[in-house]
Amino acid sequence: MNDYIKNKIEKIRSMGFYYTFDGYAVSDFLTQLDKVIEIKDLVFQEARLTILTTELRSSKPLDILALLPAASLLNVSASAMEQGPYGNELWFEWILPSSSNA
């Protein structure tokens, strides 16, 4: 994991718990995910976290299995995986005060 991604993960961890967003759980998930696939960038905009990924790493089966419990703790209201022009994009959305205005 490069320093740029480490710093972004630490920033997310420092957000703590805010409505349905748990910065600790999200940062743990991202740390586990980076063991399996290279994270190119993290973009947190309003209530959506977008993870730009590039290629799979050679990882152990246990690293892949560790993603399952970590992902189950994310408390997301929506998520998806899309192929974009710069690689694969995983995104997650939470219910946050700034995004709950209809």
Side-chain angles (χ1 to χ4, degrees), residues 3 5 7 11 19-22 29-30 40-42 45-46 49 51 57-59 65 76 78 80 99:
D3 289 337
I5 297 299
N7 290 336
K11 186 175 180 180
Y19 277 53
T20 64
F21 177 80
D22 182 349
F29 169 75
L30 292 171
K40 182 178 179 180
D41 200 3
L42 300 170
Q45 193 170 31
E46 295 182 16
L49 171 66
I51 306 164
R57 298 182 188 277
S58 53
S59 56
L65 289 175
V76 296
S99 66

Side-chain angles (χ1 to χ4, degrees), residues 20 22 24-33 51 63-79 90 92 94:
T20 64
D22 182 349
Y24 298 105
V26 174
S27 63
D28 289 344
F29 169 75
L30 292 171
T31 301
Q32 293 294 331
L33 181 64
I51 306 164
D63 292 334
I64 296 168
L65 289 175
L67 281 171
L68 298 175
S72 72
L73 297 174
L74 294 181
N75 269 338
V76 296
S77 57
S79 64
L90 297 169
F92 301 92
W94 290 266

Side-chain angles (χ1 to χ4, degrees), residues 26 39 51 54-55 57 59 62 74 82 90 95-96 98 100:
V26 174
I39 297 175
I51 306 164
T54 55
E55 57 191 47
R57 298 182 188 277
S59 56
L62 286 178
L74 294 181
E82 301 168 351
L90 297 169
I95 297 171
L96 298 176
S98 62
S100 60

